[in-house]
Each structure stands twice: as C-alpha cells, then as structure tokens.
C-alpha cells in the first residue's frame, strides 16, 4: 500500500475516534453534535380520563392522589377539554397531567344540507330550547316541496315558490340568520348562543352554516372557567 494512502487512512480513523470521543466536535470552525440526546424524565402516574366537569371537581375535592392542589393549575384547554396540571418538577421542569376531562357531545352536521326529517330530529335532540329554535322548527315543518317546485333566493332570504302542486303552508320568507344553542360544551354550563345562516338547497333541503366566526368558543371557555373557579376555591384556573 502506498505510504501516502496509509497515512490518509490513519488520519481519517483518528478523526473518527475524536468525533466519537466527544459530545461536540468542531469542524472547519463550526460546532456539531455527535448524536441526538433524549432526556430521561422523572416517572409520573398516567392521567385519569373523565368526561364531565362534575367528575373533575369531585376528583380535586377528594384528592386521592395527595397532590399539592395549591400549586396545581386547572387549564381550560378548549370548550370541550379541561386538564389538571401539577407544578413543574424534576431537572427538566416537566409537568404531570393528572386529570383530563373531555365532553361527550352529539354531532350535528353543520355546513351541509339534509332531509327535513333529519333536520327536525337534530334540532330537537341536539339543541337547547331557546333562541330561534322553535320558530325554525315551525318554518322547516311548514315547507312542502313537490315535483316542479323551486326555491327563490335573493341572497339574503329564501322563499319556496308555488308551482305545479308545490306549496308553502305558511306564506313567509325564511329567516336568513338564526340564533341557536347547540350542545357544544360541557352540559354543566349553559350552552353559548351561536349564529348560523339557515339555507335551503334548490330541492328544499335545510342546512345550518356557521356564521359567528367561532367566537362562541371564548364564551364557552369563560363559562367553564367561572364554573370551576366557583367550585374549586384556592386553585388556579386559566383559560
């Protein structure tokens, strides 16, 4: 073997040993890590999963795990999620997620048209009373569309035209914007009022389309925070 090649191979082998011997190495004035390091966290108990605010409050009141509740944080994550986090601990300042509660909610098909019967059932089963619910139920039940009928649309309100046996039992335009209270957060608090556009397809099928920019989420989270702060005095509740 040529002496120059042998020296080059020895140099490369020595460089490799240097790289593996150190956690960091400098090459051409730049620092490189020798490998990817993963922290080893302090052990913690798995979280308890609940589905109501009542259960969440009961857990905190019982405190069967002996947590320092004064240093814990109740985090209202979203209109359907609440978590209890411990104070930061360990060398990596980790938090233990002790309890997590997520609301179980019915699913109404917003943003699409559906048969009138399904729409009426959904309004009765998945919405609180109040707002424009009853008036909307009356409007939808009154709409009768047979062959040849159509929907007149001026961009704001809609009217079913009377043609070839089709009829609108109550001769009035549909209300374009409605206020409703769908079940969208924990049922221990009042369901926030939400704005929807009520529309009819060309075949007369009703549909609800979100028209409030999802601002109801803030109202729901404020309601959850108020509910928990009242029942868990002395604990930090944030949303």
């Amino acid at each position: 073997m040529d002496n120059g090649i042998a020296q080059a191979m020895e140099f490369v082998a020595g460089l490799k040993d240097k790289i593996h011997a150190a956690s960091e190495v400098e090459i051409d004035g730049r620092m490189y890590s020798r490998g990817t390091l993963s922290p080893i966290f302090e052990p913690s108990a798995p979280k308890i999963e609940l589905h109501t605010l009542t259960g969440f409050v009961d857990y905190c009141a019982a405190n069967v795990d002996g947590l320092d509740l004064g240093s814990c944080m109740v985090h209202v994550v979203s209109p359907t999620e609440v978590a209890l986090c411990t104070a930061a601990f360990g060398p990596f300042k980790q938090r233990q997620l002790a309890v997590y509660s997520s609301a179980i909610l019915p699913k109404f098909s917003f943003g699409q048209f559906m048969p009138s019967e399904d729409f009426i059932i959904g309004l009765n089963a998945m919405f609180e009373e109040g707002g424009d619910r009853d008036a909307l139920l009356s409007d939808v039940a009154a709409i009768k569309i047979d062959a040849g009928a159509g929907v007149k649309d001026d961009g704001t309100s809609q009217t079913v035209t009377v043609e070839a046996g089709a009829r609108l039992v109550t001769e009035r335009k549909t209300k374009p914007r409605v206020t409703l209270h769908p079940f969208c957060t924990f049922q221990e608090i009042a369901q926030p009022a939400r704005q929807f556009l009520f529309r009819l397809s060309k075949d007369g099928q009703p549909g609800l389309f979100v028209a409030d920019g999802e601002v109801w989420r803030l109202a729901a989270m404020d309601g959850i925070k108020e509910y928990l702060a009242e029942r868990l005095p002395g604990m930090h509740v944030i949303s």
Side-chain angles (χ1 to χ4, degrees):
M1 180 182 294
D2 183 83
N3 189 47
I5 297 178
Q7 290 180 345
M9 291 181 65
E10 289 178 4
F11 174 80
V12 171
L15 181 61
K16 180 180 179 181
D17 291 339
K18 286 184 178 180
I19 291 176
H20 283 277
S23 60
E24 295 181 350
V25 62
E26 181 178 348
I27 300 176
D28 292 336
R30 297 179 181 178
M31 298 302 297
Y32 293 85
S33 172
R34 186 171 65 84
T36 301
L37 302 179
S38 298
I40 299 177
F41 295 115
E42 295 290 316
S44 61
K47 67 179 181 292
I48 296 175
E49 296 190 17
L50 305 172
H51 297 288
T52 65
L53 293 180
T54 302
F56 189 92
V57 171
D58 289 345
Y59 171 86
C60 294
N63 194 17
V64 295
D65 291 325
L67 300 174
D68 180 8
L69 296 179
S71 65
C72 290
M73 176 178 61
V74 178
H75 182 198
V76 182
V77 182
S78 75
T80 59
E81 301 170 289
V82 176
L84 177 65
C85 302
T86 65
F89 63 93
F92 292 101
K93 298 301 181 183
Q94 68 193 85
R95 294 183 186 275
Q96 178 186 347
L97 180 59
V99 184
Y100 174 82
S101 187
S102 58
I104 298 176
L105 300 171
K107 294 183 179 180
F108 186 86
S109 298
F110 296 111
Q112 65 184 59
F113 297 108
M114 65 185 73
S116 295
E117 188 65 20
D118 293 343
F119 187 88
I120 291 172
I121 292 173
L123 278 184
N124 278 293
M126 304 179 194
F127 291 71
E128 279 190 344
E129 295 183 7
D132 296 315
R133 194 195 73 160
D134 291 346
L136 185 58
L137 283 169
S138 178
D139 282 347
V140 174
I143 297 173
K144 307 295 180 183
I145 296 185
D146 300 319
V151 177
K152 183 179 178 181
D153 191 343
D154 62 7
T156 302
S157 59
Q158 294 175 300
T159 306
V160 177
T161 58
V162 180
E163 297 177 5
R167 63 195 180 94
L168 179 61
V169 176
T170 54
E171 293 289 336
R172 62 177 182 267
K173 292 183 177 180
T174 61
K175 187 176 180 179
R177 185 180 288 266
V178 293
T179 301
L180 300 168
H181 300 263
F183 293 116
C184 56
T185 186
F186 293 96
Q187 295 195 22
E188 288 93 338
I189 68 171
Q191 302 302 303
R194 297 180 58 181
Q195 295 289 313
F196 297 94
L197 291 178
F198 171 62
R199 303 288 293 173
L200 295 170
S201 69
K202 62 180 181 181
D203 300 322
Q205 290 191 338
L208 289 174
F209 299 83
V210 176
D212 59 5
E214 303 289 353
V215 295
W216 65 272
R217 294 178 177 273
L218 299 178
M221 293 172 70
D222 285 343
I224 295 172
K225 179 180 179 180
E226 181 179 347
Y227 177 95
L228 293 175
E230 180 180 345
R231 289 160 178 79
L232 298 172
M235 294 189 66
H236 305 289
V237 184
I238 64 170
S239 64

